[in-house]
Amino acid sequence: MGTRPARWVLLTTVLGSGMALLDSTVVNVALPHIGADLDTDMAVLQWTVNAYMLTLAGLILLGGALGDRYGRRKVFVIGVVWFAAGSLLCGLAPSAGVLIAARALQGIGGALLTPGSLAIIQSGFHPDDRARAVGVWSGLGGVGAAVGPFLGGWLVDGPGWRWVFLINVPLAALCVAVALRHVPETRDPRTHTGRFDVMGAALGALTLAMVTYALIEAPGQGSSRLVVGAGVIGLALGAAFVRRERRLPEPMLPPDIFRSRVFTVVNVVTVCVYAAFGGFFFLAALQLQVVAGYSALGAGAALLPTTVLMLLLSARSGELGRRIGPRIPLTVGPLLCAAGMLLMLRVGEHASYVRDVLPALVVLGLGMVTLVAPLTATVLGSVDEGRAGLASGINNAAARAAGLLAVAALPLAAGMGPEAYRSAAEFGGTFRRAVPLCAGALVVGAVVAVVGVRGARGVRGAVPECRMQSGLPGPAVEPERGEG
């Protein structure tokens, strides 16, 4: 830390991961404008979000494994270039179909660069400096998340929604140039042999794709043969995925890692929590614009308090979780989040930001602060240190998949019609039905935590300080001999 090479490595990784994070925070704000410009229905807006999440969730474990074997910098750079190409295609998309396909391409790039950004830091810094490096990386990433709603709203209201994607191209060019010149190559020498579970990754991605298709298309097509067939095929592929992972000598998702009760329980909590977050933030950005009459910039800025609270208080929350154990934070946090979401039911036409929106987002933000860092730390501390990277990847994939399925299923469960986002009255009604479902998922997560995380106090000392402070899942990797 403090050296010129360290600053270049941090700049590269912050640019790469920040680009993907920025894209995820601004797209929700742009959805009403995308729908109006391309004259699409609600299903297309869902696919605009989910096409990216689908390929990202399905391939992120494979992306991390590729980096470990073939070089983290190499795979990271390929991911950045791929992400930029997908972004360019998104910005130039002449139709909804092209936009959705381009978003899927973005997700593949994200699956290659996301695991690599933190792995480069972990493998390139001396062990004594890793905590500080990860702290800087996560702090600057948080600033990027805070800037995202402002930048996205300004772009959407100004030059247009296409610039939400086009802005990634110059950022990617800078990131690649710095990475190739200043970032050393590292890899895990233990992964030079064996086969990749490519078939497992394909089965997992196809399972999510088929189930997602059935959930998104059901409101418009009902119980048609295509919808039912996709659902059945998805379930069959899921069963084939589980069977393959149990029989394969070197599976992508080793079943024996779930022998840790705490690891299994916390991943169930993760699914509940991130399903609620994914569904809520997808609908909240639309509610503020369609019903409350906010501009894109206003909606993006309105959601900012949750990010600010995470930036200010996550480190303290991680330290508290380490002292008292994970059970209380993993129980109280989801309940606070549920309360904050239910307070958003007060947001309707002509809503007052100070009276109606701000209190809900403050309570939600406090719940996220209480929950996120201890959840990540408990996942990493519940397995042997040598499997922390795998545990982080599984937890990350579970969170992404949960958000993906929530965005697909929530409009169906709430009875949201294909054209709901065009009508303030119709969308407001479905929002009031959908938010309690998100809150219910959080309550389920709290119950699972209070019942299943008994006796988990022992994991609190097993988690490195840097991960507690960052609040982000990340692979635990060691530098090659002679590096760092």
Side-chain angles (χ1 to χ4, degrees):
M1 284 295 292
T3 64
R4 190 169 177 231
R7 287 192 287 270
W8 283 119
V9 169
L10 287 171
L11 173 62
T12 306
T13 54
V14 167
L15 278 174
S17 59
M19 183 175 61
L21 179 62
L22 185 69
D23 190 80
S24 65
T25 59
V26 301
V27 169
N28 282 349
V29 175
L31 289 176
H33 293 259
I34 293 174
D37 188 36
L38 298 180
D39 192 24
T40 63
D41 59 13
M42 189 68 187
V44 170
L45 300 188
Q46 291 172 270
W47 277 116
T48 301
V49 174
N50 276 350
Y52 174 78
M53 297 296 293
L54 178 64
T55 49
L56 179 62
L59 300 176
I60 195 168
L61 287 177
L62 185 61
L66 287 170
D68 286 343
R69 177 177 294 190
Y70 294 114
R72 293 161 186 137
R73 185 189 67 176
K74 180 188 295 184
V75 174
F76 175 81
V77 168
I78 292 172
V80 171
V81 172
W82 198 310
F83 189 90
S87 298
L88 180 62
L89 188 55
C90 286
L92 301 176
S95 65
V98 175
L99 176 62
I100 291 169
R103 287 286 284 163
L105 289 176
Q106 270 192 310
I108 296 174
L112 295 175
L113 74 88
T114 299
S117 60
L118 189 54
I120 288 172
I121 292 177
Q122 290 286 87
S123 61
F125 278 82
H126 189 278
D128 293 341
D129 290 326
R130 284 180 192 160
R132 291 173 58 202
V134 173
V136 171
W137 173 80
S138 61
L140 292 175
V143 171
V147 171
F150 283 107
L151 179 61
W154 178 79
L155 289 171
V156 172
D157 287 341
W161 65 265
R162 295 180 183 275
W163 282 94
V164 166
F165 302 105
L166 294 176
I167 196 175
N168 291 325
V169 177
L171 292 176
L174 176 61
C175 182
V176 169
V178 174
L180 292 177
R181 183 173 178 82
H182 296 286
V183 176
E185 183 64 279
T186 62
R187 57 177 54 86
D188 187 347
R190 296 168 297 180
T191 62
H192 286 189
T193 59
R195 296 181 178 180
F196 287 117
D197 186 14
V198 177
M199 180 59 72
L203 286 173
L206 288 172
T207 297
L208 290 173
M210 292 293 103
V211 174
T212 300
Y213 177 86
L215 292 172
I216 290 179
E217 298 299 328
Q221 299 186 32
S223 56
S224 67
R225 292 183 179 179
L226 196 58
V227 169
V228 174
V232 171
I233 292 173
L235 294 176
L237 289 172
F241 171 78
V242 173
R243 184 179 181 184
R244 176 180 175 82
E245 298 306 285
R246 286 180 174 176
R247 294 186 173 186
L248 206 65
E250 298 180 7
M252 179 181 72
L253 184 63
D256 65 312
I257 196 171
F258 293 99
R259 292 175 184 168
S260 166
R261 179 178 58 83
V262 174
F263 178 78
T264 302
V265 167
V266 174
N267 274 284
V268 173
V269 175
T270 297
V271 168
C272 295
V273 166
Y274 281 92
F277 288 166
F280 173 79
F281 283 110
F282 170 72
L283 295 177
L286 289 167
Q287 175 77 359
L288 289 171
Q289 294 179 75
V290 174
V291 178
Y294 284 42
S295 65
L297 177 58
L303 297 171
L304 189 58
T306 55
T307 302
V308 172
L309 287 170
M310 289 284 289
L311 279 173
L312 294 177
L313 301 175
S314 284
R316 292 188 178 94
S317 171
E319 178 61 28
L320 177 64
R322 187 170 62 172
R323 288 204 311 265
I324 68 175
R327 189 183 181 197
I328 293 176
L330 297 188
T331 303
V332 174
L335 294 178
L336 281 173
C337 291
M341 289 183 185
L342 292 175
L343 285 174
M344 277 292 289
L345 293 174
R346 301 164 58 192
V347 177
E349 293 186 55
H350 312 298
S352 165
Y353 181 74
V354 174
R355 185 185 65 246
D356 301 319
V357 181
L358 184 59
L361 293 177
V362 168
V363 175
L364 175 61
L366 290 174
M368 294 173 69
V369 165
T370 305
L371 166 70
V372 172
L375 184 147
T376 303
T378 306
V379 166
L380 293 170
S382 62
V383 298
D384 294 337
E385 186 175 350
R387 307 190 86 179
L390 175 63
S392 172
I394 292 171
N395 188 249
N396 205 328
R400 309 275 186 175
L404 161 74
L405 294 175
V407 171
L410 200 56
L412 173 63
M416 188 175 295
E419 304 296 326
Y421 79 97
R422 300 182 188 274
S423 166
E426 184 179 353
F427 191 88
T430 53
F431 182 79
R432 288 190 293 272
R433 293 192 292 272
V435 167
L437 298 176
C438 296
L442 288 163
V443 172
V444 171
V447 172
V448 171
V450 76
V451 173
V453 190
R454 295 175 183 271
R457 288 179 174 269
V459 304
R460 54 184 173 172
V463 185
E465 180 78 14
C466 61
R467 295 195 184 96
M468 295 290 292
Q469 292 181 348
S470 71
L472 296 170
V477 290
E478 296 297 328
E480 291 186 30
R481 188 169 297 175
E483 295 182 347

